Amino acid sequence: MNAQRVWTVAHKDLIEVLRNRQALFPLIVIPLGLAVVIPASLMDFITSPDTSDFAGALMAFMTQMPAGVAPTHLNPDQLLVYSFAVFFMAPLFLLIPSMSATVIGSSSFVGEKERRTIEGLLYTPITNRELVLGKILASLIPSIVVTWTAFVCYALLVNHYANPVVGEVFFPTASWVVLMLVMVPLIAFLTVALIVAVSGRATSSQAAQGTSFIVVMPVILLTVGQSAGLLLFDTKVTWVASGIMVFINVLVFLAVARIFNRERILTKLR
Amino acid sequence: MTLTGLSSTPAVSPRSELVISAKGVSKRFDNHQAISDVSLDIERGRVFGLLGPNGAGKTTTVRLLNHVLTPDSGEIWLFGERLTAATADEVRSRIGVQTDTNIYESLTARENLHFWAELYGVPKQRRRARVDELLEIMELTDRASSLAGTFSKGMRQKLGVARAVVHRPELLFLDEPTTGLDPEASLKLIDFLRGMIATDHTTMVMCTHQLDGLETLCTDVGVLIDGRMAASGPMESLVSERWPGHWVTLELANSSLANLESAHRVLADQFPEANASITDAAALLVSMPQAEMTERLVATLVHHEFAIRALVPVQRSIRDVYFDVIGSARGGAV
């Protein structure tokens, strides 16, 4: 595989995304909503005195947590805020890369087809694997960048709201760091690969987005649910899960590159 | 018809001087036979004009020759190498393709060319110079930093050609390369392509309806009709097969029909080996076995007191070949 050609395609697509305001808008709005607006509203609520019902639900969750997951020296109020910040928001974060990727990835191939640029690309010496990987990277990189940016914003938010209550700087925890640095890119890669596969077979951008949602959502829910649960375990478990995800990603990528069909793109996608 | 996938096929074609060799290539889409048993050979440095009416199969042929479509039957050799899924990507690095597909509108002209140069592996140290050179040749230097989406049709066309040649391909496919260009720009582009042939011995396949202008470039012609190659070969062979001998048009000072008929009788009587006819333009069209007969023919007419106003050798063009082939295929309807 020629890394230069992979990066050339990814770089070209990234430039196109950055110059497209319609594509940029959801890339900013989705993380802002999931990582800032929703957590800020909830934290404001949970740190206020009148939170009995919500706090009750959180306490019920905390009683189910395995021993040793949360610090033992915190009092119940502090533990409530800690648990909310550390355990409850992870699923939202794991949704960000997948949702951001859908915005860009669903038009990766079908968008080129609609703009009548794909044929020129198919005449070049780029291999199917290089082309598919370039398209995946073009969606993956912005997804990871916005997720990490949102994570930094969330960390600041947590420390603003939660530190005064907990009385110490506790976020990000080691599990969160591993989740962000390892699991987020892996989940994003899986999602993007599936979306790019859909884009290579869809007949229009709208159809690609609709089909992507149907194909990707079960994968998102499954991986996000499982990954969020990793916060309840030791980081070693997260590393093992990451290894499994790497294996799955390689298989999915090879399958997507294998089903990529130049002839179909030229003759079937009108 | 030759079938693909024969295990006994040698790895290297014995006729490796051929840049393109296609044998019995066919392609069907659903219930439409797009290409039927097409064969063609193109040698290095030749310019093959691929002609045909709309829907004849020109685009499909180009796609098959680049292996973006896979033939149902037949085999294709490029640069002496059998074209397969395993070899296609590598072979494509030696090919440039300009089609009617779009350039990237949200990239600048310079970015478009750099993108293509990188894909084709033009070394970084030569890339900038090559891109600058092509922008200069295509007279796009002033607009190098403008988004291609703001370009006129002619500028897009020039950028499309520039990106196809950015890596100095050995084989170049061009699809109506002068469409949208003004006459001056067309001539400059043809000169540029001629320069590529002279200096790099580039082989070209040119799909076109533009029968005037590009004919000076084409050394070989193929005419596709309904997916079949109705005629193909070097221009001179195609012309000599259809119009053997030497042809001239004779214009007499007195162009009345009676005078023309009188001259026609003299020629028929004195030169039985020649053929003469009276044209709609009140002239005599004469074909003769050798060009050397022309002097004797003129002398005879002068001897019979016919005043000759002009004698013009007839140059058969790509247009003549095209319409003759089309006419023959359709039973002389053209």
Side-chain angles (χ1 to χ4, degrees):
Chain A
M1 191 178 293
N2 184 320
Q4 167 70 46
R5 284 201 291 253
V6 172
W7 174 243
T8 298
V9 170
H11 184 237
K12 185 272 293 175
D13 277 16
L14 285 169
I15 292 175
E16 288 190 298
V17 168
L18 289 173
R19 289 179 184 167
N20 182 350
R21 287 180 188 172
Q22 287 178 319
L24 274 182
F25 182 70
L27 276 182
I28 295 166
V29 169
I30 291 172
L32 194 70
L34 292 176
V36 178
V37 177
I38 295 175
S41 308
L42 289 173
M43 273 191 210
D44 189 45
F45 175 66
I46 201 170
T47 51
S48 68
D50 186 19
T51 59
S52 54
D53 290 346
F54 188 64
L58 265 178
M59 291 304 285
F61 166 80
M62 287 156 55
T63 56
Q64 305 293 320
M65 284 196 308
V69 170
T72 52
H73 65 276
L74 301 180
N75 67 36
D77 286 344
Q78 291 171 325
L79 195 58
L80 179 70
V81 173
Y82 178 94
S83 300
F84 178 80
V86 174
F87 303 120
F88 269 56
M89 296 311 298
L92 285 182
F93 265 88
L94 294 168
L95 282 177
I96 295 173
S98 302
M99 295 181 74
S100 306
T102 309
V103 174
I104 309 168
S106 57
S107 67
S108 57
F109 282 116
V110 77
E112 291 232 24
K113 177 76 183 177
E114 286 174 339
R115 294 189 294 273
R116 298 184 66 245
T117 53
I118 189 71
E119 185 167 354
L121 203 50
L122 299 182
Y123 283 121
T124 69
I126 195 163
T127 66
N128 288 355
R129 283 185 185 175
E130 290 162 357
L131 185 52
V132 168
L133 186 57
K135 290 290 182 186
I136 288 175
L137 287 181
S139 299
L140 185 68
I141 291 168
S143 305
I144 292 173
V145 168
V146 295
T147 308
W148 285 350
T149 306
F151 175 63
V152 171
C153 294
Y154 179 67
L156 295 173
L157 200 72
V158 167
N159 284 290
H160 171 74
Y161 280 100
N163 280 355
V165 178
V166 177
E168 61 188 69
V169 176
F170 64 94
F171 195 89
T173 63
S175 294
W176 263 93
V177 171
V178 176
L179 198 72
M180 282 296 121
L181 294 182
V182 182
M183 217 57 193
V184 158
L186 290 172
I187 290 174
F189 188 98
L190 179 64
T191 316
V192 172
L194 291 172
I195 292 168
V196 166
V198 169
S199 181
R201 301 181 83 80
T203 51
S204 69
S205 288
Q206 286 93 336
Q209 281 180 348
T211 312
S212 295
F213 185 78
I214 294 166
V215 170
V216 167
M217 198 43 72
V219 180
I220 291 176
L221 294 176
L222 187 69
T223 52
V224 166
Q226 295 302 311
S227 304
L230 290 173
L231 289 171
L232 299 173
F233 298 99
D234 187 63
T235 50
K236 284 179 188 168
V237 179
T238 308
W239 284 112
V240 172
S242 301
I244 295 168
M245 277 294 285
V246 168
F247 182 69
I248 293 170
N249 278 347
V250 170
L251 289 183
V252 168
F253 166 67
L254 292 176
V256 172
R258 193 175 179 81
I259 63 168
F260 179 78
N261 186 325
R262 291 176 192 233
E263 182 161 332
R264 182 186 158 80
I265 285 192
L266 278 184
T267 58
K268 299 289 183 190
L269 306 187
R270 304 241 178 235
Chain B
M1 188 180 299
T2 316
L3 295 176
T4 53
L6 297 176
S7 57
S8 60
T9 306
V12 176
S13 165
R15 299 184 65 192
S16 55
E17 76 276 16
L18 289 176
V19 172
I20 298 178
S21 180
K23 306 289 181 213
V25 175
S26 296
K27 182 68 182 176
R28 187 177 184 83
F29 298 117
D30 300 326
N31 56 358
H32 167 59
Q33 188 67 43
I35 294 293
S36 299
D37 200 22
V38 164
S39 297
L40 59 93
D41 288 336
I42 304 174
E43 293 174 3
R44 186 173 299 281
R46 306 287 286 185
V47 180
F48 188 90
L50 185 57
L51 314 177
N54 291 328
K58 301 187 295 293
T59 302
T60 301
T61 302
V62 170
R63 288 172 172 178
L64 287 165
L65 292 174
N66 282 274
H67 205 75
V68 292
L69 295 181
T70 312
D72 298 331
S73 60
E75 56 185 46
I76 297 168
W77 296 76
L78 294 185
F79 309 107
E81 191 168 3
R82 175 85 182 274
L83 194 60
T84 65
T87 60
D89 295 324
E90 183 62 32
V91 168
R92 279 193 212 108
S93 65
R94 301 164 71 179
I95 301 173
V97 184
Q98 174 264 322
T99 65
D100 64 347
T101 56
N102 283 347
I103 47 183
Y104 290 101
E105 296 193 348
S106 53
L107 302 187
T108 66
R110 187 184 297 283
E111 286 168 341
N112 265 286
L113 293 182
H114 269 282
F115 173 61
W116 240 245
E118 286 172 30
L119 278 184
Y120 280 97
V122 177
K124 195 172 182 180
Q125 61 273 22
R126 293 214 303 266
R127 208 178 295 151
R128 174 176 273 277
R130 178 62 174 159
V131 167
D132 286 345
E133 179 191 12
L134 285 171
L135 288 168
E136 180 74 30
I137 289 168
M138 298 297 167
E139 299 178 330
L140 292 172
T141 304
D142 292 346
R143 300 293 302 274
S145 300
S146 300
L147 294 182
T150 64
F151 281 11
S152 68
K153 187 176 181 183
M155 293 165 81
R156 287 165 192 249
Q157 188 74 357
K158 288 195 271 190
L159 189 56
V161 174
R163 82 175 189 183
V165 301
V166 72
H167 57 299
R168 297 186 185 279
E170 295 170 62
L171 171 60
L172 179 61
F173 288 89
L174 297 163
D175 187 1
E176 301 286 4
T178 55
T179 299
L181 300 184
D182 59 61
E184 187 188 1
S186 288
L187 286 176
K188 283 183 178 173
L189 178 60
I190 291 169
D191 280 346
F192 169 68
L193 295 174
R194 190 172 280 122
M196 282 183 69
I197 299 163
T199 56
D200 300 341
H201 303 289
T202 312
T203 308
M204 297 183 191
V205 175
M206 198 176 301
C207 301
T208 184
H209 291 107
Q210 195 74 33
L211 297 173
D212 296 320
L214 294 173
E215 63 189 11
T216 56
L217 218 51
C218 292
T219 55
D220 301 71
V221 171
V223 182
L224 273 173
I225 301 172
D226 297 333
R228 293 186 176 276
M229 193 66 85
S232 78
M235 261 296 284
E236 56 268 31
S237 301
L238 292 173
V239 168
S240 63
E241 283 166 14
R242 282 162 179 74
W243 300 281
H246 184 66
W247 293 68
V248 293
T249 301
L250 274 166
E251 292 177 28
L252 304 181
N254 176 358
S255 62
S256 68
L257 184 59
N259 195 48
L260 288 169
E261 284 175 343
S262 175
H264 183 265
R265 277 194 297 275
V266 168
L267 292 178
D269 186 47
Q270 300 286 319
F271 299 93
E273 67 273 44
N275 280 306
S277 58
I278 299 170
T279 70
D280 294 341
L284 284 167
L285 179 64
V286 185
S287 71
M288 59 200 96
Q290 298 95 26
E292 292 73 27
M293 275 182 69
T294 312
E295 270 185 45
R296 285 197 292 127
L297 189 140
V298 170
T300 301
L301 286 175
V302 171
H303 179 72
H304 285 80
E305 298 185 344
F306 290 101
I308 298 173
R309 193 172 65 186
L311 183 146
V312 184
V314 175
Q315 298 290 331
R316 294 292 177 180
S317 67
I318 200 167
R319 171 188 286 274
D320 298 317
V321 172
Y322 176 75
F323 282 114
D324 187 71
V325 173
I326 295 278
S328 301
R330 294 177 178 168
V334 174

